[in-house]
Amino acid sequence: MGMKNHLRLHVNIDHVATVRQARRAYEPSLGAAASLCEVAGADGITVHLRSDRRHIQDDDVRLLRGLVTTHLNVEMAATDEMVDIAIALRPDTVTLVPESPDEITTEGGLDVVTHRARTEAAVRRLVDDGLDVSIFIEPDADQIDASAAIGAHQIELCTARYAVLTEAPRGVAVHHATRLTEIAAETARHSDASRRAAAAGLRVAAGHGLTYLNVAPIAAIGEMEELNIGHNIIARAILVGLDSALREMRSAIERSRS
Ligand code: PXP
């Protein structure tokens, strides 16, 4: 098997803002974190401007737009407020994600099939303004086809379900062979979805819950062009520093691509 195309690693730095907001203080600096990620070889920086502003603030995205020289991906809900912000801010990619007020983190992909009219209206405004649009979806054929039909440029496959399957079970007996079969089936869903999306002319990304230990099978998918990873890198960075944390993730990805 030869070397596949370079897989871009975009680092989600929301948790840096989470730590800052815990004290409503000025540190840690989001700008410093973004620059350190870029120096350590990140291909892009991702942030989620939530409607409730629980971590990333409007000033943060403005600062990052001026600072990030690689690629700035801003995740947001498909609302008029957020589309207005994106059009003024001009991130390199806008990723539409679902949001519910009580969630701890994004819980799954955007249901483009059910919310097609609303999503299409947001995509149309963004695309008409010349912005690059990605939609965070479950790895289902219907979601991919709907995303292509409404004019998205990219889809980001939600790996949350895959990630949960790869977690070490705590206090429950799980038959090992059964678990491996489930993980293989979920990985196959992602590779089938990637192939379908690429055939429809969509760029393919993935993310949510990816870690040093579970990233390899997802990174090995040939059509995969970009991964968005946050929690695991920032958690590791608290212990070993951002630079080391990022380089460890990069080598986990590169091993699976060669
Ligand atoms: N992609 C999307 C669309 C997300 O909403 C998130 C979490 O904010 C991620 C990727 C990163 O997930 P994690 O922090 O679990 O790596």
Side-chain angles (χ1 to χ4, degrees):
M1 198 164 42
M3 192 72 179
K4 293 173 181 148
N5 60 307
H6 176 71
L7 180 53
R8 297 189 303 275
L9 173 59
H10 289 191
V11 183
N12 180 313
I13 58 172
D14 291 349
H15 283 5
V16 177
T18 300
V19 173
R20 183 194 61 198
Q21 294 309 107
R23 285 292 176 89
R24 304 281 188 276
Y26 294 98
E27 60 181 6
S29 156
L30 209 66
S35 296
L36 280 168
C37 289
E38 290 187 309
V39 168
D43 299 291
I45 302 296
T46 299
V47 290
H48 182 179
L49 183 66
R50 291 186 60 96
S51 302
D52 61 14
R53 307 298 198 278
R54 70 166 73 150
H55 40 55
I56 298 293
Q57 308 297 307
D58 299 60
D59 281 352
D60 292 329
V61 286
R62 278 193 287 272
L63 173 121
L64 291 171
R65 178 59 297 178
L67 189 72
V68 168
T69 56
T70 51
H71 192 100
L72 180 64
N73 175 25
V74 179
E75 300 172 1
M76 53 177 57
T79 62
D80 288 340
E81 181 207 8
M82 287 297 154
V83 170
D84 288 343
I85 290 173
I87 285 172
L89 183 77
R90 312 211 67 74
D92 297 300
T93 300
V94 176
T95 299
L96 299 177
V97 300
E99 258 177 38
S100 77
D102 299 330
E103 67 192 359
I104 292 174
T105 180
T106 312
E107 282 168 347
L110 184 61
D111 186 347
V112 183
V113 175
T114 305
H115 306 294
R116 180 162 170 154
R118 179 150 53 92
T119 312
E120 183 168 15
V123 171
R124 175 132 332 142
R125 280 191 66 201
L126 294 164
V127 170
D128 285 352
D129 222 84
L131 291 168
D132 183 57
V133 180
S134 182
I135 311 181
F136 186 56
I137 57 169
E138 294 298 318
D140 296 332
D142 289 353
Q143 299 295 339
I144 292 162
D145 296 350
S147 299
I150 65 172
H153 302 109
Q154 172 175 304
I155 44 109
E156 177 178 343
L157 299 174
C158 175
T159 48
R161 214 180 103 88
Y162 166 82
V164 167
L165 287 172
T166 65
E167 274 169 17
R170 290 189 183 83
V172 269
V174 177
H175 189 257
H176 192 57
T178 306
R179 179 59 72 91
L180 288 180
T181 306
E182 286 174 344
I183 293 171
E186 191 60 22
T187 306
R189 263 183 90 205
H190 281 280
S191 81
D192 291 349
S194 299
R195 209 169 311 121
R196 188 181 188 96
L202 293 159
R203 305 197 314 270
V204 183
H208 212 286
L210 295 177
T211 71
Y212 301 93
L213 297 176
N214 72 17
V215 74
I218 298 297
I221 294 170
E223 291 81 7
M224 197 58 71
E225 295 184 51
E226 172 192 310
L227 298 178
N228 284 286
I229 309 183
H231 182 87
N232 191 235
I233 292 175
I234 303 303
R236 180 81 181 142
I238 289 173
L239 305 180
V240 301
L242 250 182
D243 189 85
S244 298
L246 213 59
R247 287 175 205 277
E248 287 174 29
M249 183 61 81
R250 176 66 87 191
S251 59
I253 291 169
E254 238 106 87
R255 272 196 303 280
S256 76
R257 299 288 282 183
S258 57

